[in-house]
Amino acid sequence: MMMSACVENLIVSKPYLLDPSLYLKALKLCRCETLEKQFVLIHGNSVTNGFVSNLQLNNGLVNLCARHGDLKHARKLFDRMPERDVVSWTAMISGYSRCGYHRSALLLFKQMRVEPVRANDFTYGSVLKSCKDLGCLKEGMQIHGCVEKGRFAGNLVVRSALLSLYAKCGKMEDARLLFESMKRVRDLVSWNIMIDGYTATSTADTSFGLFQLMLAEGKKPDCYTFGSLLRASIEVNCLEMVSVLHGFAIKLHFGRSDVALVRSLIVAYAKCGSLANALKLYEGTMKGDLISCTAVITCSAQQNSFTSGAFDIFKEMILMKTQMDEVVVTSMLKICTTTTSISIGRQIHCFALKSSQIRFDVALHNSLIDMYAKSGEIEDAVLAFEEMEEKDVRSWTSLISGYGRHGDIEKAIDLYNRMEHEGIKPNDVTFLALLSACSHTGETEIGWKVFNTMINKYGIKVREEHLSCMVDMLARGGNLEDAYELIRSKNGITSLSSSTWGAFLDACRRHGNVQLSQVAAAQLLRMEPKKPVNYINLASVYAANEDWDNALKTRKLMKETGSCKKAPGYSIVY
């Protein structure tokens, strides 16, 4: 209020009518809260008193509006200016760039190039930022050419803006050449841009190597440096490097008051699998911080550990009225799915519906479908699916899998047909869900059709999981010869897991097929020679066919290999 009154006093004073420099002083005193009133007062008086063509005053007015985001008024003033210099153009271009109107910034820069006005370092810095944010590498390179021809080729601000452009566009070779040419002038910002650029292009080793060079030059890292290096550690999943960087930050006297660094450490520890270290930092200073909470909860969901703690953290976030987003809710729903906590999952669903902060994106809807389908609430899963405005392949696959799990093969196939009709291309997981459904329901004919469609129509490579489902389906139906032929044709003898061979052996035992039992047992004994159940199943096949000699030999072989020692059973009741 005092500042506003001071502006008004300056304007009504008589000397002010004759001296435009006093208008400029008044502009510097303007506050954001009362900007519109003050602007109208200053602009109106300047026009009334004949200063409408004063270049310095007009530049001040344009700059004031642009700095405070009022680009509409700024552009009106700019277009009406009888005379414009580099300050006028730069104020407008930087205003557009700062407020995210990058196309407008580029267009205005092109207009400026036609005028007899030369850009300065601030003009180049602003327009290059717009090129970076738009990903306009071609335009940025053209501006780079202008820079090299002018007098700002060695300017640190311009060089840093060019570095940032090349790094953001993934042109790290060009960025490195430019960086090496800056040996005399490069500062910490230049190093940070390069390290972050290498991290973003998944070349973490180069990021760490550049960091060592930076230290050798005597540069002290800041929170941004550590943030980039921690992201590089996540990229290569190197927990040891996260610990080293944490220790180094402590040696440099970075404390828990450095919120950005602590947040980055929590995320890095969580994503690299050290939930314990992430929790220590979280408990110390970052309670209620959205990014930190999300990292801990997401890590809990992925590792299927600390689930009760994740529920407590989510409850704390609600009590502390922390701003929520769909990412943390999606992670909580995943935890509810793995712990079969359907009642809590429903409460979280209701909370999300009531919240104005949470956006129901595809990932959140998919988590709801998955949770309800796996918890036996298939009708609620269908409701969540039908409510989606946009569906991806995972949405369809989750519900198909849900129908299969509930033994409803008809609805699973109908949904698959609808999926194809709507132009959604199924993936290998979709077909795995369908094959699993056919295996559980014994629909051998449908299973063969699905399997052949996957290979012939969509060209999807057969994975071990697909083969396992087919073998299980055929073996359950007594089609042992077909199952073995499929294994041989798809080179499954070397790729099948022991669990699939075990299921095949068990099916051979039930159907009394000695020959194929021997084949399956041979594979199992090669893969798991110490597992007694493999010997027992084979011996049972021989015994069922009254081949007592081979049954006895198998039992003896089990003893000779030391496989007959079973872990004793015990009770937790005491």
Side-chain angles (χ1 to χ4, degrees), residues 26 53 111 117 138 195 207 219 226 344 416 431 476 540 543:
S53 58
Q111 289 176 31
V117 178
K138 184 181 176 182
I195 291 169
S207 296
K219 294 286 189 295
F226 280 112
I344 298 175
Y416 165 73
F431 284 107
R476 285 186 189 203
S540 298

Side-chain angles (χ1 to χ4, degrees), residues 512-523:
N513 192 316
V514 179
Q515 188 180 357
L516 290 180
S517 294
Q518 288 174 328
V519 174
Q523 292 298 322

Side-chain angles (χ1 to χ4, degrees), residues 132 156 159-183 186-214 217 222 224-225 227-229 231-232:
K132 179 199 76 172
L156 182 59
R159 289 279 180 182
S160 296
L162 284 166
L163 268 183
S164 192
L165 167 73
Y166 287 127
K168 177 71 184 294
C169 294
K171 295 289 183 180
M172 290 311 298
E173 288 182 10
D174 293 329
R176 189 62 181 259
L177 285 171
L178 184 63
F179 180 73
E180 293 299 336
S181 71
M182 294 169 60
K183 281 189 177 179
R186 61 193 181 197
D187 60 359
L188 183 59
V189 174
S190 314
W191 287 96
N192 283 347
I193 291 168
M194 289 300 296
I195 291 169
D196 190 60
Y198 281 121
T199 299
T201 52
S202 302
T203 46
D205 290 343
T206 314
S207 296
F208 297 131
L210 202 62
F211 178 58
Q212 289 179 324
L213 288 174
M214 185 187 103
E217 279 200 9
D222 61 6
Y224 297 102
T225 321
S228 298
L229 292 167
R231 285 194 296 277

